[in-house]
Amino acid sequence: MMKIWHQYPFVRLVFPFIAGIATAISFGLPVKASLLPYIIILLLVYGVFVFLLAKRISYSLRWVNGFIIHLILFLSGYENTRLHTPALDPQNISHHSSQRTLLVIRLTEPVAERPNSFKIIAQTLSIKDSTSWKPVSGKMILYFEKDPSVKHLAYGDEVMVQTTINPVSPPANPGEFNYSRYLAFRGIYNQAYVQAANWKLMAREKGNPVIAFALKVRDHFLQILEKRNITGDEFAVASALLVGYTDHLDADQMKHYAGSGAIHILSVSGLHVGIIYIFLNVVLAFMNRKRRTRIIKVLLMILFIWLYALITGFSPSVLRASLMFSFIIAGELLTRKANTYNTITASAFLLLIIRPYFITDVGFQLSYFAVTGIVWLYRPISNLLIPENRILRLTWQTLAVSIAATVVTFPLTVFYFRQFPNLFLVTNLIAVPLSTLIIYTGIAVLVFSPISIISSFLGIILSELIRWLNLTVKTIEEQPFSVAEGLNINLFEMIILFVAVIIIAAFLISKTRGYLVPAMSLLVILLTSFTIRHAGHLQQKSIVIYSINKATAIDFLGGNEGFLLADSGLINFKGKYGYHIQNNRVLHGISSGDKIFPIEGSFKTNHVLKQGNFMQFFDKTLLLVDPELPIQPLGSKLKINYLLLTHDPGITIKRLVEAFEFDLLIIDASNSFWHTANWIKECRELGIRFHSTRADGAWEEQI
């Protein structure tokens, strides 16, 4: 085993380095001081151990050598993460939050149009304080008021804005996607809104010329697609599939592709670069005969792969995939003894040195695990069945690739997306060959763009191929049981499941019975964890009032049942429900979309009673105070546990106190900012306990 392990030096080295990065990120860099002095000391100790004491120390102590190397790599990973954490820079813009000021920014990405604004990601350059301009660093997100002139801004433009710098808000609801953490991992901590009259263009084209050229190439390609009459849904998918531009995709398209198991097709990454790699490898196969021509082949393949990266605008996912395949090409074609696992981990090692926070990127994780799964499992799976018919053989090989990638990545898929596409094999059997044809045809449209007749003809073929792809994906996603939704595993369970899958796969390949005991043990641990969590769900009794702008949503969670009361607009707007509410219900063991009622109605269950504006959940009572509720103080106050102010009722807190005796006043985000601010001020003056979901996030009470 040790002899085999020594064949994978980069695999051995990357694990302690990743552990250092993961420790730094998971614990929020508990040690802010530089670890470089300690790393240098350990290097000196290692040098003494290797060159002066190695021959004098017994064989049993050779583990010290490996321990020191692993410790150096662990500390190096931690230190590298510290150095790449923008918030630790004293000049970072995050240290100027909540200030209204003048700011000079440089666009680092093209302008993205949103329904009510233009979104711009920019590098901050300088800020004006009370006396002078000072240099600042770090990126931030700016939302510009809808103004046609903003559309003309481009990558590299420098703009002066007057705005208030705000930190990115944490999630307002339990289980909601943590957008602030997502941005922080990408070095963005602040956001701002810029009114149309409060910005001024200072300079143009000040960004990286290579990236600027790449974005122009991408935009030129998109213009060619438009000129070839590729429009609507076909244009949206073509933009995403060919060059990674996803702004034209709508929610329904994303749902169809995600539910059918084809979402990876819309993200230009390893699959797309792999298709280019296979095509080039076949076309240039005649150059394999001599070493000199093999070297030329390597250079040509790497050149064309990076030209494809250029067409996509050098998106981060394509850069990762291009670097990974560049390593694979150089490793496998220049020498027959290259180990693919070493090549893959070497590219990951280099990427993590350049940007350690890549480790938090779901695309990074899925790409490397998928490629590793294909390298490891494709051959054993494909060898299980070797049809004599060529078409059947190609079909089975396509399925084998999908199975190999899915086996390794499905624990991550369930952990991050809480669903699994049951028909992924059917989807990929059709979608992968179709997407391959689409990529080749799309590149041909670009290559032959100077010849209008040929390019237009190819454009018709491209549009028709994408139409069939969209139809296939939509049809599969709409089938019953196409998606297993509401899946919920925590980080511990994901790790246990992942290790168990690896061990079971190793057993199926090697037929070594020694793998069975640890695999079964891990599955028992996993089942035990599921059982304990399910038992906890059966005991739960809680009320959740969500924080959703201009909407009211109340969830009563009792046992394994949930009863959600929501505005009809929210019920019909699945996007808001999915973003703000669905995840929390899944975390509590409630089926997605189960037992949702319009807030205007009345109903009675074993745990919940709703009659008009009055609600009772077990022994707790809640009254909905909306504009329709008549409030007339009686001789004695009505006792209610919770009052919920919703949809701007024209009432004062003093009047509520005169009419009700209550434990807590809740103000949800359906109310206007003005009413909410006045009620909060009045509550503080009267000493009333209150909770504002707009200011403090969702309210949750365990009964």
PDB file of all heavy atoms in Angstrom, residues 31-46 68 71-76 78-79 82:
ATOM      1  N   VAL A  31      -6.187  32.959  13.956  1.00  0.00           N
ATOM      2  CA  VAL A  31      -4.859  33.558  14.114  1.00  0.00           C
ATOM      3  C   VAL A  31      -4.663  34.542  12.967  1.00  0.00           C
ATOM      4  O   VAL A  31      -4.520  34.150  11.807  1.00  0.00           O
ATOM      5  CB  VAL A  31      -3.753  32.483  14.101  1.00  0.00           C
ATOM      6  CG1 VAL A  31      -2.384  33.133  14.240  1.00  0.00           C
ATOM      7  CG2 VAL A  31      -3.990  31.466  15.203  1.00  0.00           C
ATOM      8  N   LYS A  32      -4.677  35.840  13.296  1.00  0.00           N
ATOM      9  CA  LYS A  32      -4.543  36.864  12.260  1.00  0.00           C
ATOM     10  C   LYS A  32      -3.085  37.192  11.951  1.00  0.00           C
ATOM     11  O   LYS A  32      -2.780  37.738  10.892  1.00  0.00           O
ATOM     12  CB  LYS A  32      -5.262  38.146  12.704  1.00  0.00           C
ATOM     13  CG  LYS A  32      -6.749  37.990  12.982  1.00  0.00           C
ATOM     14  CD  LYS A  32      -7.525  37.680  11.721  1.00  0.00           C
ATOM     15  CE  LYS A  32      -9.022  37.781  11.918  1.00  0.00           C
ATOM     16  NZ  LYS A  32      -9.581  36.810  12.859  1.00  0.00           N
ATOM     17  N   ALA A  33      -2.181  36.871  12.869  1.00  0.00           N
ATOM     18  CA  ALA A  33      -0.764  37.185  12.671  1.00  0.00           C
ATOM     19  C   ALA A  33      -0.149  36.250  11.632  1.00  0.00           C
ATOM     20  O   ALA A  33      -0.626  35.132  11.410  1.00  0.00           O
ATOM     21  CB  ALA A  33      -0.010  37.064  13.992  1.00  0.00           C
ATOM     22  N   SER A  34       0.935  36.712  11.015  1.00  0.00           N
ATOM     23  CA  SER A  34       1.610  35.916   9.997  1.00  0.00           C
ATOM     24  C   SER A  34       2.259  34.672  10.603  1.00  0.00           C
ATOM     25  O   SER A  34       2.876  34.727  11.674  1.00  0.00           O
ATOM     26  CB  SER A  34       2.671  36.761   9.298  1.00  0.00           C
ATOM     27  OG  SER A  34       3.411  35.971   8.402  1.00  0.00           O
ATOM     28  N   LEU A  35       2.109  33.548   9.887  1.00  0.00           N
ATOM     29  CA  LEU A  35       2.731  32.294  10.310  1.00  0.00           C
ATOM     30  C   LEU A  35       4.055  32.054   9.585  1.00  0.00           C
ATOM     31  O   LEU A  35       4.675  30.998   9.776  1.00  0.00           O
ATOM     32  CB  LEU A  35       1.784  31.121  10.044  1.00  0.00           C
ATOM     33  CG  LEU A  35       0.434  31.147  10.759  1.00  0.00           C
ATOM     34  CD1 LEU A  35      -0.391  29.919  10.371  1.00  0.00           C
ATOM     35  CD2 LEU A  35       0.604  31.216  12.254  1.00  0.00           C
ATOM     36  N   LEU A  36       4.479  33.007   8.784  1.00  0.00           N
ATOM     37  CA  LEU A  36       5.695  32.834   7.994  1.00  0.00           C
ATOM     38  C   LEU A  36       6.926  32.536   8.848  1.00  0.00           C
ATOM     39  O   LEU A  36       7.728  31.655   8.479  1.00  0.00           O
ATOM     40  CB  LEU A  36       5.930  34.072   7.121  1.00  0.00           C
ATOM     41  CG  LEU A  36       7.033  33.955   6.061  1.00  0.00           C
ATOM     42  CD1 LEU A  36       6.756  32.784   5.124  1.00  0.00           C
ATOM     43  CD2 LEU A  36       7.154  35.263   5.280  1.00  0.00           C
ATOM     44  N   PRO A  37       7.132  33.213   9.997  1.00  0.00           N
ATOM     45  CA  PRO A  37       8.306  32.879  10.825  1.00  0.00           C
ATOM     46  C   PRO A  37       8.322  31.413  11.268  1.00  0.00           C
ATOM     47  O   PRO A  37       9.387  30.775  11.279  1.00  0.00           O
ATOM     48  CB  PRO A  37       8.183  33.822  12.023  1.00  0.00           C
ATOM     49  CG  PRO A  37       7.375  34.973  11.511  1.00  0.00           C
ATOM     50  CD  PRO A  37       6.407  34.376  10.541  1.00  0.00           C
ATOM     51  N   TYR A  38       7.158  30.882  11.621  1.00  0.00           N
ATOM     52  CA  TYR A  38       7.078  29.491  12.071  1.00  0.00           C
ATOM     53  C   TYR A  38       7.343  28.527  10.911  1.00  0.00           C
ATOM     54  O   TYR A  38       7.954  27.464  11.100  1.00  0.00           O
ATOM     55  CB  TYR A  38       5.711  29.215  12.689  1.00  0.00           C
ATOM     56  CG  TYR A  38       5.378  30.140  13.835  1.00  0.00           C
ATOM     57  CD1 TYR A  38       4.561  31.252  13.646  1.00  0.00           C
ATOM     58  CD2 TYR A  38       5.900  29.915  15.103  1.00  0.00           C
ATOM     59  CE1 TYR A  38       4.260  32.111  14.691  1.00  0.00           C
ATOM     60  CE2 TYR A  38       5.604  30.771  16.161  1.00  0.00           C
ATOM     61  CZ  TYR A  38       4.794  31.863  15.942  1.00  0.00           C
ATOM     62  OH  TYR A  38       4.523  32.721  16.980  1.00  0.00           O
ATOM     63  N   ILE A  39       6.869  28.908   9.717  1.00  0.00           N
ATOM     64  CA  ILE A  39       7.119  28.073   8.534  1.00  0.00           C
ATOM     65  C   ILE A  39       8.616  28.033   8.235  1.00  0.00           C
ATOM     66  O   ILE A  39       9.180  26.972   7.923  1.00  0.00           O
ATOM     67  CB  ILE A  39       6.326  28.609   7.325  1.00  0.00           C
ATOM     68  CG1 ILE A  39       4.821  28.465   7.583  1.00  0.00           C
ATOM     69  CG2 ILE A  39       6.713  27.858   6.049  1.00  0.00           C
ATOM     70  CD1 ILE A  39       3.949  29.140   6.537  1.00  0.00           C
ATOM     71  N   ILE A  40       9.292  29.177   8.348  1.00  0.00           N
ATOM     72  CA  ILE A  40      10.743  29.231   8.103  1.00  0.00           C
ATOM     73  C   ILE A  40      11.491  28.390   9.127  1.00  0.00           C
ATOM     74  O   ILE A  40      12.423  27.642   8.785  1.00  0.00           O
ATOM     75  CB  ILE A  40      11.234  30.699   8.144  1.00  0.00           C
ATOM     76  CG1 ILE A  40      10.651  31.465   6.948  1.00  0.00           C
ATOM     77  CG2 ILE A  40      12.764  30.759   8.115  1.00  0.00           C
ATOM     78  CD1 ILE A  40      10.930  32.949   6.991  1.00  0.00           C
ATOM     79  N   ILE A  41      11.076  28.470  10.389  1.00  0.00           N
ATOM     80  CA  ILE A  41      11.723  27.669  11.444  1.00  0.00           C
ATOM     81  C   ILE A  41      11.564  26.175  11.146  1.00  0.00           C
ATOM     82  O   ILE A  41      12.518  25.393  11.264  1.00  0.00           O
ATOM     83  CB  ILE A  41      11.133  28.026  12.830  1.00  0.00           C
ATOM     84  CG1 ILE A  41      11.546  29.444  13.227  1.00  0.00           C
ATOM     85  CG2 ILE A  41      11.591  27.010  13.884  1.00  0.00           C
ATOM     86  CD1 ILE A  41      10.851  29.950  14.467  1.00  0.00           C
ATOM     87  N   LEU A  42      10.353  25.784  10.744  1.00  0.00           N
ATOM     88  CA  LEU A  42      10.111  24.369  10.428  1.00  0.00           C
ATOM     89  C   LEU A  42      10.927  23.922   9.212  1.00  0.00           C
ATOM     90  O   LEU A  42      11.411  22.781   9.169  1.00  0.00           O
ATOM     91  CB  LEU A  42       8.621  24.141  10.163  1.00  0.00           C
ATOM     92  CG  LEU A  42       7.723  24.100  11.406  1.00  0.00           C
ATOM     93  CD1 LEU A  42       6.257  24.112  11.024  1.00  0.00           C
ATOM     94  CD2 LEU A  42       8.038  22.868  12.252  1.00  0.00           C
ATOM     95  N   LEU A  43      11.098  24.799   8.239  1.00  0.00           N
ATOM     96  CA  LEU A  43      11.936  24.466   7.084  1.00  0.00           C
ATOM     97  C   LEU A  43      13.387  24.240   7.508  1.00  0.00           C
ATOM     98  O   LEU A  43      14.064  23.331   7.009  1.00  0.00           O
ATOM     99  CB  LEU A  43      11.857  25.578   6.033  1.00  0.00           C
ATOM    100  CG  LEU A  43      10.562  25.634   5.210  1.00  0.00           C
ATOM    101  CD1 LEU A  43      10.514  26.912   4.382  1.00  0.00           C
ATOM    102  CD2 LEU A  43      10.448  24.413   4.301  1.00  0.00           C
ATOM    103  N   LEU A  44      13.850  25.070   8.430  1.00  0.00           N
ATOM    104  CA  LEU A  44      15.224  24.902   8.938  1.00  0.00           C
ATOM    105  C   LEU A  44      15.351  23.588   9.700  1.00  0.00           C
ATOM    106  O   LEU A  44      16.344  22.861   9.556  1.00  0.00           O
ATOM    107  CB  LEU A  44      15.593  26.085   9.839  1.00  0.00           C
ATOM    108  CG  LEU A  44      15.737  27.444   9.128  1.00  0.00           C
ATOM    109  CD1 LEU A  44      15.945  28.564  10.153  1.00  0.00           C
ATOM    110  CD2 LEU A  44      16.896  27.410   8.142  1.00  0.00           C
ATOM    111  N   VAL A  45      14.332  23.273  10.529  1.00  0.00           N
ATOM    112  CA  VAL A  45      14.348  22.015  11.277  1.00  0.00           C
ATOM    113  C   VAL A  45      14.344  20.834  10.310  1.00  0.00           C
ATOM    114  O   VAL A  45      15.078  19.855  10.495  1.00  0.00           O
ATOM    115  CB  VAL A  45      13.127  21.936  12.229  1.00  0.00           C
ATOM    116  CG1 VAL A  45      13.020  20.543  12.847  1.00  0.00           C
ATOM    117  CG2 VAL A  45      13.241  22.992  13.314  1.00  0.00           C
ATOM    118  N   TYR A  46      13.525  20.951   9.262  1.00  0.00           N
ATOM    119  CA  TYR A  46      13.466  19.881   8.260  1.00  0.00           C
ATOM    120  C   TYR A  46      14.821  19.716   7.569  1.00  0.00           C
ATOM    121  O   TYR A  46      15.282  18.584   7.337  1.00  0.00           O
ATOM    122  CB  TYR A  46      12.388  20.209   7.228  1.00  0.00           C
ATOM    123  CG  TYR A  46      12.318  19.214   6.099  1.00  0.00           C
ATOM    124  CD1 TYR A  46      11.788  17.942   6.301  1.00  0.00           C
ATOM    125  CD2 TYR A  46      12.788  19.537   4.826  1.00  0.00           C
ATOM    126  CE1 TYR A  46      11.721  17.026   5.259  1.00  0.00           C
ATOM    127  CE2 TYR A  46      12.724  18.628   3.784  1.00  0.00           C
ATOM    128  CZ  TYR A  46      12.187  17.371   4.013  1.00  0.00           C
ATOM    129  OH  TYR A  46      12.133  16.457   2.993  1.00  0.00           O
ATOM    130  N   ILE A  68       6.788  16.694   9.612  1.00  0.00           N
ATOM    131  CA  ILE A  68       7.244  18.081   9.451  1.00  0.00           C
ATOM    132  C   ILE A  68       6.799  18.636   8.103  1.00  0.00           C
ATOM    133  O   ILE A  68       6.333  19.776   7.998  1.00  0.00           O
ATOM    134  CB  ILE A  68       8.785  18.174   9.593  1.00  0.00           C
ATOM    135  CG1 ILE A  68       9.206  17.800  11.017  1.00  0.00           C
ATOM    136  CG2 ILE A  68       9.272  19.584   9.264  1.00  0.00           C
ATOM    137  CD1 ILE A  68      10.709  17.722  11.207  1.00  0.00           C
ATOM    138  N   LEU A  71       3.113  19.371   8.267  1.00  0.00           N
ATOM    139  CA  LEU A  71       2.856  20.545   9.101  1.00  0.00           C
ATOM    140  C   LEU A  71       3.213  21.831   8.351  1.00  0.00           C
ATOM    141  O   LEU A  71       2.478  22.828   8.427  1.00  0.00           O
ATOM    142  CB  LEU A  71       3.663  20.450  10.397  1.00  0.00           C
ATOM    143  CG  LEU A  71       3.427  21.573  11.428  1.00  0.00           C
ATOM    144  CD1 LEU A  71       1.946  21.640  11.806  1.00  0.00           C
ATOM    145  CD2 LEU A  71       4.294  21.346  12.665  1.00  0.00           C
ATOM    146  N   ILE A  72       4.308  21.811   7.609  1.00  0.00           N
ATOM    147  CA  ILE A  72       4.701  22.974   6.804  1.00  0.00           C
ATOM    148  C   ILE A  72       3.621  23.279   5.763  1.00  0.00           C
ATOM    149  O   ILE A  72       3.229  24.439   5.568  1.00  0.00           O
ATOM    150  CB  ILE A  72       6.064  22.725   6.115  1.00  0.00           C
ATOM    151  CG1 ILE A  72       7.187  22.719   7.157  1.00  0.00           C
ATOM    152  CG2 ILE A  72       6.335  23.791   5.052  1.00  0.00           C
ATOM    153  CD1 ILE A  72       8.527  22.278   6.596  1.00  0.00           C
ATOM    154  N   LEU A  73       3.125  22.233   5.099  1.00  0.00           N
ATOM    155  CA  LEU A  73       2.089  22.429   4.087  1.00  0.00           C
ATOM    156  C   LEU A  73       0.787  22.929   4.708  1.00  0.00           C
ATOM    157  O   LEU A  73       0.102  23.789   4.146  1.00  0.00           O
ATOM    158  CB  LEU A  73       1.848  21.125   3.326  1.00  0.00           C
ATOM    159  CG  LEU A  73       2.959  20.721   2.348  1.00  0.00           C
ATOM    160  CD1 LEU A  73       2.784  19.270   1.916  1.00  0.00           C
ATOM    161  CD2 LEU A  73       2.948  21.636   1.134  1.00  0.00           C
ATOM    162  N   PHE A  74       0.438  22.393   5.878  1.00  0.00           N
ATOM    163  CA  PHE A  74      -0.772  22.837   6.580  1.00  0.00           C
ATOM    164  C   PHE A  74      -0.675  24.320   6.927  1.00  0.00           C
ATOM    165  O   PHE A  74      -1.600  25.106   6.643  1.00  0.00           O
ATOM    166  CB  PHE A  74      -0.968  22.003   7.848  1.00  0.00           C
ATOM    167  CG  PHE A  74      -2.134  22.438   8.691  1.00  0.00           C
ATOM    168  CD1 PHE A  74      -3.414  21.968   8.428  1.00  0.00           C
ATOM    169  CD2 PHE A  74      -1.957  23.329   9.749  1.00  0.00           C
ATOM    170  CE1 PHE A  74      -4.489  22.371   9.204  1.00  0.00           C
ATOM    171  CE2 PHE A  74      -3.028  23.739  10.527  1.00  0.00           C
ATOM    172  CZ  PHE A  74      -4.294  23.251  10.246  1.00  0.00           C
ATOM    173  N   LEU A  75       0.437  24.718   7.520  1.00  0.00           N
ATOM    174  CA  LEU A  75       0.628  26.124   7.895  1.00  0.00           C
ATOM    175  C   LEU A  75       0.711  27.017   6.654  1.00  0.00           C
ATOM    176  O   LEU A  75       0.245  28.162   6.677  1.00  0.00           O
ATOM    177  CB  LEU A  75       1.890  26.284   8.742  1.00  0.00           C
ATOM    178  CG  LEU A  75       1.864  25.587  10.115  1.00  0.00           C
ATOM    179  CD1 LEU A  75       3.197  25.778  10.831  1.00  0.00           C
ATOM    180  CD2 LEU A  75       0.721  26.113  10.972  1.00  0.00           C
ATOM    181  N   SER A  76       1.287  26.485   5.573  1.00  0.00           N
ATOM    182  CA  SER A  76       1.376  27.258   4.332  1.00  0.00           C
ATOM    183  C   SER A  76      -0.014  27.504   3.752  1.00  0.00           C
ATOM    184  O   SER A  76      -0.301  28.592   3.242  1.00  0.00           O
ATOM    185  CB  SER A  76       2.246  26.521   3.308  1.00  0.00           C
ATOM    186  OG  SER A  76       3.568  26.389   3.771  1.00  0.00           O
ATOM    187  N   TYR A  78      -2.790  27.681   5.480  1.00  0.00           N
ATOM    188  CA  TYR A  78      -3.412  28.676   6.369  1.00  0.00           C
ATOM    189  C   TYR A  78      -2.885  30.071   6.053  1.00  0.00           C
ATOM    190  O   TYR A  78      -3.655  31.032   5.909  1.00  0.00           O
ATOM    191  CB  TYR A  78      -3.119  28.312   7.825  1.00  0.00           C
ATOM    192  CG  TYR A  78      -3.852  29.166   8.838  1.00  0.00           C
ATOM    193  CD1 TYR A  78      -4.982  28.676   9.483  1.00  0.00           C
ATOM    194  CD2 TYR A  78      -3.426  30.457   9.156  1.00  0.00           C
ATOM    195  CE1 TYR A  78      -5.662  29.442  10.418  1.00  0.00           C
ATOM    196  CE2 TYR A  78      -4.097  31.236  10.073  1.00  0.00           C
ATOM    197  CZ  TYR A  78      -5.213  30.729  10.707  1.00  0.00           C
ATOM    198  OH  TYR A  78      -5.886  31.496  11.617  1.00  0.00           O
ATOM    199  N   GLU A  79      -1.547  30.193   5.945  1.00  0.00           N
ATOM    200  CA  GLU A  79      -0.929  31.498   5.692  1.00  0.00           C
ATOM    201  C   GLU A  79      -1.333  32.040   4.326  1.00  0.00           C
ATOM    202  O   GLU A  79      -1.585  33.242   4.176  1.00  0.00           O
ATOM    203  CB  GLU A  79       0.598  31.372   5.782  1.00  0.00           C
ATOM    204  CG  GLU A  79       1.376  32.634   5.445  1.00  0.00           C
ATOM    205  CD  GLU A  79       1.151  33.762   6.446  1.00  0.00           C
ATOM    206  OE1 GLU A  79       0.524  33.512   7.499  1.00  0.00           O
ATOM    207  OE2 GLU A  79       1.601  34.883   6.175  1.00  0.00           O
ATOM    208  N   ARG A  82      -4.722  33.497   4.636  1.00  0.00           N
ATOM    209  CA  ARG A  82      -4.655  34.791   5.341  1.00  0.00           C
ATOM    210  C   ARG A  82      -4.221  35.905   4.389  1.00  0.00           C
ATOM    211  O   ARG A  82      -4.791  36.998   4.387  1.00  0.00           O
ATOM    212  CB  ARG A  82      -3.678  34.690   6.511  1.00  0.00           C
ATOM    213  CG  ARG A  82      -3.693  35.887   7.459  1.00  0.00           C
ATOM    214  CD  ARG A  82      -2.547  35.818   8.449  1.00  0.00           C
ATOM    215  NE  ARG A  82      -1.263  36.046   7.804  1.00  0.00           N
ATOM    216  CZ  ARG A  82      -0.773  37.265   7.536  1.00  0.00           C
ATOM    217  NH1 ARG A  82      -1.441  38.343   7.871  1.00  0.00           N
ATOM    218  NH2 ARG A  82       0.386  37.386   6.930  1.00  0.00           N
TER     219      ARG A  82
END
